[in-house]
Amino acid sequence: MDEEIGAAARQGQWKHQYRALSLLAFQSFGVVYGDLSTSPLYVFKSALSGNLHKYHDETTIFGLLSLIFWTLTLVPLLKYVIIVLAADDNGEGGTFALYSLLCRHAKLSLLPNQQAADEELSTYYQPGIDRTAVSSPFKRFLEKHKKLRTCLLLFVLFGACMVIGDGVLTPTISVLSALSGLQDPGTGGLGNGWVVCIACVVLVGLFALQHRGTHRVAFMFAPIVILWLLSIGIIGLYNIIHWNPRICLALSPHYIVKFFKTTGRDGWIALGGVLLAVTGTEAMFADLGHFTAASIRLAFVGVIYPCLVLQYMGQAAFLSKNMFAVHDSFYLSIPRTVFWPMFVLASLAAIVGSQSIISATFSIVKQCLSLGCFPRVKVVHTSRWIYGQIYIPEINWILMVLCLAVTLGFRDITIIGNAYGLACITVMFVTTWLMALVIIFVWQKNILLALLFLLFFGSIEGAYLSASFIKIPQGGWTSIAFALVFMFIMYVWHYGTRRKYLFDLQNKVSMKWILTLGPSLGIMRVPGIGLIYTELVTGVPAIFSHFVTNLPAFHQVLVFVCVKSVPVPYVPAEERYLIGRIGPRQYRMYRCIVRYGYKDLQKDDENFENHLVMSIAKFIQMEAEEAASSGSYESSNEGRMAVIHTTDATGTGLIMRDSNDSAAGTSLTRSSKSETLQSLQSIYEQESGSISRRRVRFQISQEEQINPQVRDELSDLLEAKEAGVAYIIGHSYVKARKNSNLFKSFAINYAYSFLRKNCRGPSVTLHIPHISLIEVGMIYYV
C-alpha cells in the first residue's frame, strides 16, 4: 500500500515537473526564439547580394544551403544547446554570468570591496568543485597581472555592449524585413518611404509594450511564433516537393567545398549574409535567467531546428528554379493563396523577434549595474512568481530612439544587416573565449580540452567575423559605434566608482582617533539610531569625521551600513546580513553589510529597520556567549563579522509586538518622537503613496537570563529604535587631482560627473525614506 502511494506521489510530481517544463518551453518561443525564427526573411537576400550576382546558379544555391545548415547545426545546436547552456551561473546566463563565474573561481575580479566571507556563500562555488585542488600555472599567471584582468573586463564589456547594439539593430531589421512584403508589385506595392513610416509606428508600439513585463509578453507572443514556425516549416516542405526534391543532397558538406571553389573571395564575403541565419542565437543564453536550460533545449530541438531547416531547404529549392526572385526570395516563394495570411504572420513574428534581444538587453544592463559597470537606473521586476524578469525604463526608451534613428537613417535591410551580423558574431566570439576559460577554471578540465573547444568554434566564428569586417564601410561601422559609446560609459562609470572607493579606503578614520574622542565621540549623543551608508566593508569612512567635526550632536547608536553586490546571481535571505562591532562596547557602534547578487531584487524592505535591530540584538547575544566562554565580557573581538539570520525575535533576548498592542504598551520603551513629528511622518507617507511600514515595538524578555551588561546594551538599542532612525548618506563631489593627466581629468571631471548628475541618486536606489534622510556634502579628490 505504501509503495503504491509512493509511486502515485512520484508520478504526480513527475507530471507537475513536466507541466512546468512545457509551460516554460511554450513561453520561451515568445521571448527567446523570435529573432532566430525570423531569420529566413532576409538570409538568402543578404547572402546573394553583392558580387554573388555573377554566380546565380544551382551550385551556388546548394552551397549556400549547405553553409546555412551546418552553421545552424554547429553553432546554435552543438555549441549553445549542448555546451554553453551547461555553463549557467545558478540559472543565469549571458556574458556577465560567465565573467562572474570566472571571478569566483579565479581571482580575476576588479570589484574592490570583496571579502573572504563572500566565498562562504552557498551559491558562490559551483557544485562538485574541488576547492582544495592546486591552481594551474595559467590561473596564477592571470591572477598575478592586473593589466590582464583589466583587459578581460574590457573584453567582457565589449561583448556586453555588442548585445546592447543588438537590442537596437534586431527590432529594426526584423520589422523592416517583415514589412518589405508590402513592396511586392503583385500586391500593389507601397513605396519604401511608406514602409519605413509603418515600421517606425510598429517599433514605437513594441517598446511601449515592454512595461507589461516578459511574463505577459511571452504569453501574448508565444502562440504567434509557434504558428509562424509551423507555417514556414510546412511551406518549406511544400517547396521542396514542388520545386526541387534534389535539394536534400545539399546537406552534404561536399557542396560547401564546391561553393568556395566556384566563388572564391566573393563566396567568403557572402559569409556575412549566411551569418544572419544564426543571429539571435546568443539570446538563448542571455535570456536563460527568464527560463531554464531544459525548457530552452526542448523548444529548440523539438520545434525551432526542424522548422528552420525545412524552411531554408524549401527556399533554396525555390531559388534553384527561380533565380530572378533573389531580391525577395521569402515572399516570392510563398504560394499566392496564402500570401496575405503569411504576411500578417511574418509582421507579427518580426515584432516578437525583437522581444528576445530586448529582454536580453535588460538582463545584461542589470548585471552590469550590479557589478558596478553601469550608471544607476531604475530596475522594475515585472513578475512576482518568475524571478529575473525585469524592465528598465531608461534603457527601453533609449533603445527605441536609436531604433528609430537607424530605421530612418539607413532605410536599407542590406546595410542594417551588415551591422547586425557583425554585432551578433562578435558576441558569439566573446562567449567562445570566455567558455574556454570556464572549461579550465570552473569545470576544472584539461587545458587541451579548452583549446580544442576554442580552436573548433573560434575558427568557425573567426571566418564569419573576418567576412563581417569587410562590410564595416557598408554599415558595419554602426554596431562598432554603438558598442564603443556604451563601452565608454561603462568603463568611465567603473573607473570613477573604483577611484572613489580607493579614496575612501586610503582615507579611513583611524581607530586611534575615535578612541581619543571617548564613548561620547566628543559630541552630544542624542537618542536614535544613525545609519551611515558607506561602500567600505572595513574601517570608518572619512565622511564620518567630516560629520563629527561639523555637527554638535550624533545618534546614541551608530550603524555603518554597506550595501554591496557579490558576483553571484543571488544571495539566500538567511546569508544576506553580516553584523559586526566597531570599537569598544560602550561606543555603541556597529557595522552591517547587506549582500545582494546581480540577479537579486533590491527592494524597499519595509521591515529593514526591524530586521536590523533584531540582527544587532542577536549579534550582541552571540558575542556575549563567546565572551562568557572565554571568561571576559570586556574583550570584544573587533573586526569580526557574523552572518545573522533573523526572521523573528528568537535568540535575540527581545519580544516583538505590534505598536498598537495595548497590552504591551505600558511595558515598552516610550518613543521620544514628538507628536508633531509623528504626525508629519504620517502625512508624508500618505502623500508620497509609500507603503505603510509595519510599526512594531520591542521589549527585553523578562524570562531569559541575560547578562546585566548585555541587558544595558539591548536597552540602549531599543531606546534608540523607539526614538527613531535617521539615514545618513554622503552627497559626494568627485574631482580629479590637479596633477592628474588629461585622460583622467576628462574622465572624472566631465564624463563621470555628467553620468552621476544624470543617473538616479543613491538614496533612490537604496530606497531610503526622504523624511529620514540626512545628506552630508564632501569633495573627493581622486
Side-chain angles (χ1 to χ4, degrees):
M1 186 68 179
D2 292 339
E3 292 180 1
E4 292 179 1
I5 294 174
R10 285 192 297 273
Q11 186 177 5
Q13 185 179 9
W14 181 84
K15 286 182 178 178
H16 175 74
Q17 292 175 349
Y18 178 76
R19 195 179 299 115
L21 177 64
S22 302
L23 179 62
L24 283 174
F26 171 78
Q27 285 184 299
S28 70
F29 285 104
V31 176
V32 177
Y33 291 116
D35 184 13
L36 189 61
S37 66
T38 53
S39 295
L41 286 168
Y42 43 76
V43 169
F44 277 105
K45 178 181 179 179
S46 298
L48 289 167
S49 62
N51 291 335
L52 274 193
H53 70 273
K54 298 179 291 185
Y55 307 96
H56 285 182
D57 53 38
E58 187 177 275
T59 303
T60 304
I61 299 300
F62 275 45
L64 278 176
L65 174 62
S66 189
L67 274 169
I68 292 169
F69 171 76
W70 284 106
T71 304
L72 200 63
T73 302
L74 294 176
V75 179
L77 182 60
L78 180 59
K79 177 188 167 185
Y80 278 88
V81 170
I82 296 177
I83 301 175
V84 175
L85 286 181
D88 67 291
D89 185 9
N90 290 285
E92 188 72 12
T95 307
F96 261 95
L98 293 178
Y99 180 64
S100 72
L101 271 177
L102 292 171
C103 289
R104 300 203 307 271
H105 294 80
K107 296 176 182 177
L108 303 177
S109 176
L110 293 175
L111 290 174
N113 58 355
Q114 300 305 294
Q115 301 168 277
D118 297 337
E119 298 183 16
E120 302 303 320
L121 288 167
S122 58
T123 54
Y124 199 85
Y125 289 102
Q126 292 285 86
I129 295 298
D130 183 9
R131 295 168 59 178
T132 61
V134 178
S135 60
S136 65
F138 179 55
K139 180 179 177 181
R140 292 195 296 270
F141 177 75
L142 285 179
E143 292 175 344
K144 182 180 177 181
H145 293 83
K146 184 180 176 182
K147 288 184 178 179
L148 290 177
R149 288 184 283 134
T150 304
C151 289
L152 178 63
L153 175 64
L154 290 174
F155 188 63
V156 171
L157 288 180
F158 189 70
C161 291
M162 280 294 187
V163 174
I164 299 175
D166 277 353
V168 176
L169 297 168
T170 300
T172 305
I173 192 171
S174 297
V175 173
L176 270 179
S177 299
L179 296 177
S180 64
L182 293 173
Q183 296 176 291
D184 190 343
T187 59
L190 294 176
N192 190 54
W194 281 104
V195 172
V196 170
C197 290
I198 296 171
C200 290
V201 173
V202 171
L203 287 171
V204 171
L206 172 67
F207 284 100
L209 264 180
Q210 292 304 311
H211 74 282
R212 303 283 296 177
T214 308
H215 178 71
R216 294 183 178 88
V217 169
F219 267 114
M220 291 166 58
F221 287 167
I224 296 171
V225 175
I226 293 173
L227 186 59
W228 161 257
L229 285 165
L230 294 176
S231 300
I232 62 174
I234 292 169
I235 289 174
L237 184 61
Y238 166 80
N239 283 332
I240 293 170
I241 298 169
H242 181 73
W243 292 106
N244 192 353
R246 290 182 60 254
I247 200 69
C248 297
L249 299 174
L251 300 184
S252 169
H254 167 69
Y255 284 92
I256 297 177
V257 178
K258 289 182 66 176
F259 172 78
F260 283 115
K261 279 185 178 179
T262 305
T263 58
R265 185 176 182 274
D266 295 330
W268 171 62
I269 295 174
L271 287 177
V274 176
L275 166 65
L276 298 179
V278 293
T279 53
T281 300
E282 186 68 25
M284 284 196 291
F285 189 46
D287 284 331
L288 185 58
H290 297 252
F291 303 98
T292 63
S295 63
I296 290 175
R297 288 184 175 118
L298 177 63
F300 184 85
V301 175
V303 180
I304 302 291
Y305 183 74
C307 288
L308 286 180
V309 169
L310 284 174
Q311 167 56 210
Y312 285 122
M313 289 176 67
Q315 208 173 141
F318 171 78
L319 280 173
S320 66
K321 302 299 181 183
N322 301 275
M323 295 303 301
F324 64 89
V326 166
H327 68 283
D328 197 8
S329 60
F330 176 79
Y331 280 112
L332 292 176
S333 68
I334 296 173
R336 293 294 95 183
T337 53
V338 294
F339 175 84
W340 283 110
M342 284 303 297
F343 169 76
V344 173
L345 201 54
S347 301
L348 294 174
I351 296 172
V352 181
S354 309
Q355 179 62 43
S356 62
I357 200 64
I358 293 172
S359 300
T361 303
F362 291 157
S363 296
I364 286 287
V365 170
K366 171 66 168 62
Q367 292 173 15
C368 294
L369 175 66
S370 299
L371 296 177
C373 296
F374 205 86
R376 293 180 294 265
V377 291
K378 182 180 181 181
V379 178
V380 180
H381 286 247
T382 56
S383 175
R384 291 181 182 178
W385 302 278
I386 303 175
Y387 209 60
Q389 297 193 355
I390 59 173
Y391 163 69
I392 303 177
E394 293 95 331
I395 298 301
N396 185 62
W397 303 124
I398 288 172
L399 290 179
M400 187 191 78
V401 170
L402 292 176
C403 277
L404 294 177
V406 170
T407 305
L408 293 170
F410 289 127
R411 302 184 174 207
D412 188 330
I413 294 172
T414 303
I415 295 176
I416 298 171
N418 293 337
Y420 181 41
L422 179 59
C424 291
I425 194 61
T426 303
V427 177
M428 294 180 192
F429 196 63
V430 169
T431 300
T432 299
W433 280 86
L434 292 177
M435 268 302 302
L437 294 177
V438 166
I439 291 171
I440 300 170
F441 298 147
V442 181
W443 292 354
Q444 297 179 348
K445 301 297 182 182
N446 194 297
I447 193 171
L448 294 177
L449 188 63
L451 286 174
L452 181 64
F453 175 87
L454 184 61
L455 287 174
F456 182 75
F457 291 107
S459 58
I460 295 172
E461 292 162 358
Y464 283 112
L465 190 62
S466 61
S468 298
F469 278 144
I470 298 295
K471 298 187 177 182
I472 287 178
Q474 290 85 41
W477 60 269
T478 311
S479 58
I480 296 178
F482 285 148
L484 290 177
V485 169
F486 281 109
M487 188 175 176
F488 175 76
I489 292 171
M490 288 183 182
Y491 189 73
V492 164
W493 184 263
H494 179 79
Y495 177 75
T497 303
R498 183 174 174 80
R499 298 304 304 179
K500 181 176 176 291
Y501 178 85
L502 291 175
F503 177 90
D504 270 336
L505 197 62
Q506 294 163 3
N507 294 274
K508 290 190 294 186
V509 177
S510 68
M511 186 54 62
K512 183 179 178 181
W513 180 76
I514 293 177
L515 293 175
T516 58
L517 296 177
S520 67
L521 299 178
I523 53 178
M524 178 75 69
R525 299 292 290 268
V526 296
I529 297 178
L531 302 183
I532 304 172
Y533 279 79
T534 174
E535 294 179 2
L536 293 179
V537 293
T538 59
V540 177
I543 201 167
F544 177 70
S545 62
H546 186 68
F547 202 103
V548 168
T549 53
N550 285 277
L551 287 181
F554 220 90
H555 297 86
Q556 176 185 356
V557 174
L558 296 178
V559 184
F560 292 86
V561 180
C562 172
V563 179
K564 73 170 200 174
S565 290
V566 186
V568 296
Y570 58 87
V571 176
E574 61 271 15
E575 301 176 38
R576 192 174 304 283
Y577 290 92
L578 280 172
I579 304 292
R581 185 187 295 279
I582 299 177
R585 299 178 192 278
Q586 60 269 29
Y587 281 58
R588 304 297 191 251
M589 294 168 62
Y590 309 93
R591 183 186 307 283
C592 174
I593 298 175
V594 188
R595 302 179 292 184
Y596 288 98
Y598 59 77
K599 188 180 171 184
D600 272 325
L601 169 60
Q602 298 185 28
K603 61 182 179 181
D604 182 10
D605 187 353
E606 60 185 46
N607 294 316
F608 172 70
E609 295 172 7
N610 300 330
H611 285 160
L612 182 64
V613 169
M614 289 190 291
S615 298
I616 294 174
K618 193 166 186 177
F619 173 79
I620 293 170
Q621 291 277 58
M622 288 173 57
E623 191 182 46
E625 290 172 4
E626 293 179 4
S629 62
S630 65
S632 174
Y633 178 77
E634 294 301 327
S635 59
S636 67
N637 187 6
E638 194 210 326
R640 172 184 175 274
M641 303 292 293
V643 178
I644 304 293
H645 172 47
T646 307
T647 54
D648 53 38
T650 305
T652 63
L654 304 179
I655 298 174
M656 182 174 66
R657 292 196 177 99
D658 290 335
S659 61
N660 58 1
D661 188 348
S662 58
T666 58
S667 61
L668 299 175
T669 308
R670 183 176 178 81
S671 173
S672 63
K673 283 186 182 178
S674 67
E675 293 183 4
T676 304
L677 184 58
Q678 293 180 32
S679 175
L680 285 172
Q681 183 171 354
S682 299
I683 293 171
Y684 168 79
E685 289 178 351
Q686 291 174 4
E687 291 182 349
S688 63
S690 61
I691 300 172
S692 179
R693 297 170 182 266
R694 182 189 175 195
R695 302 190 183 281
V696 300
R697 286 188 177 182
F698 298 93
Q699 71 179 99
I700 300 174
S701 174
Q702 302 298 325
E703 298 178 0
E704 297 185 29
Q705 296 295 325
I706 301 176
N707 184 296
Q709 291 173 302
V710 173
R711 186 178 291 275
D712 289 343
E713 190 169 0
L714 291 176
S715 179
D716 289 345
L717 178 65
L718 298 191
E719 183 182 342
K721 170 64 170 68
E722 291 302 317
V725 179
Y727 297 78
I728 303 157
I729 194 168
H731 189 83
S732 54
Y733 299 89
V734 183
K735 296 183 179 296
R737 291 195 183 101
K738 292 184 179 179
N739 59 349
S740 301
N741 58 48
L742 183 63
F743 169 78
K744 183 178 178 181
S745 298
F746 174 77
I748 297 296
N749 294 341
Y750 297 98
Y752 184 66
S753 177
F754 175 81
L755 292 175
R756 279 176 62 88
K757 288 177 181 176
N758 290 277
C759 71
R760 293 182 181 268
S763 61
V764 178
T765 55
L766 293 170
H767 303 286
I768 295 174
H770 291 289
I771 196 170
S772 305
L773 176 64
I774 301 173
E775 290 191 279
V776 184
M778 186 173 177
I779 298 178
Y780 286 73
Y781 288 102
V782 300

